[in-house]
Amino acid sequence: MRQADRDEVKAASGKSPAEALLFSLRKSTLAWTGIIDGRPEVMFGVGDLNILAGIGAPWLLGTDAVEQHYRQFLRHSVSWRDQLLERYPILRNFVDDRNTVSIRWLRWLGFKLHDPVVIGGHVFRIFELRSSDVRYHDGPDGWVDAVGRGRGGAARAGVGGGQSVQRANHGHERPACGSPGEGCD
């Protein structure tokens, strides 16, 4: 696991990397593993934060391979974000303020970061994204949000990708790309 993720897990929960992954998987309604060059290098998912309000808590823990394959990761993360927004109109969680790579990625995906808060003696930032904040130009007829609301039809999240990245579904609803075990090409 990336050192920044290890530090964040320890600061947020006191758990070891393995304990944090198992806990996150158990609490998730959707979860996937990203396979890079045949090795599991990233695990990610979402759990219910507030079912009635439609708020999900996304999480992601990865190895250094994620940063080495960042272009592919970024392309695929847009698709992942959009799939989560189809289920949860609001995504919210917190990130360690020291985890600058994750903060840059969250901002790139469109998440808004709130002012720093201290939790258990460590500084974190709450991040949030609403489906209504993610807009796609849908041709000459107008714009739609991440779940297809608006003028002009369904939203599109074009995702390309290299051949070295695959996704594996952990038995929850839909895979991030294709069918379980298929590549995301």
Side-chain angles (χ1 to χ4, degrees):
M1 186 180 294
R2 289 183 328 123
Q3 188 61 50
D5 287 348
R6 288 175 181 269
D7 294 343
E8 182 171 319
V9 162
K10 187 71 170 171
S13 68
K15 295 182 185 310
S16 72
E19 291 170 329
L21 284 170
L22 289 173
F23 176 83
S24 296
L25 284 171
R26 278 196 307 272
K27 297 294 183 179
S28 292
T29 53
L30 298 168
W32 299 273
T33 296
I35 308 296
I36 302 174
D37 296 331
R39 294 175 41 106
E41 300 288 1
V42 61
M43 294 182 82
F44 52 100
V46 64
D48 293 329
L49 204 58
N50 184 321
I51 296 170
L52 295 176
I55 302 173
W59 60 272
L60 182 142
L61 298 169
T63 68
D64 291 329
V66 172
E67 290 182 36
Q68 295 164 0
H69 298 272
Y70 71 93
R71 285 186 181 100
Q72 293 167 302
F73 173 76
L74 291 174
R75 281 192 299 261
H76 294 297
S77 64
V78 171
S79 175
W80 175 61
R81 175 203 66 191
D82 294 345
Q83 288 183 50
L84 298 185
L85 287 170
E86 287 178 15
R87 182 177 181 121
Y88 300 97
I90 302 170
L91 299 172
R92 182 184 302 144
N93 207 337
F94 60 90
V95 62
D96 189 321
D97 196 47
R98 300 170 294 176
N99 198 339
T100 57
V101 170
S102 291
I103 288 171
R104 252 189 345 260
W105 172 65
L106 289 165
R107 285 186 172 134
W108 182 83
L109 285 172
F111 283 88
K112 294 178 183 170
L113 276 80
H114 297 274
D115 291 335
V117 295
V118 177
I119 302 171
H122 299 280
V123 180
F124 291 90
R125 287 180 178 263
I126 295 172
F127 61 87
E128 179 176 290
L129 181 65
R130 295 172 180 265
S131 62
S132 58
D133 293 337
V134 179
R135 310 289 285 179
Y136 302 97
H137 189 262
D138 196 32
D141 294 331
W143 294 85
V144 294
D145 68 14
V147 293
R149 293 183 299 242
R151 298 180 310 163
R156 295 187 193 111
V159 177
Q163 299 205 4
S164 65
V165 177
Q166 298 176 334
R167 294 283 200 283
N169 186 302
H170 288 286
H172 301 289
E173 293 191 9
R174 301 187 325 191
C177 299
S179 299
E182 281 187 4
C184 296
D185 317 324

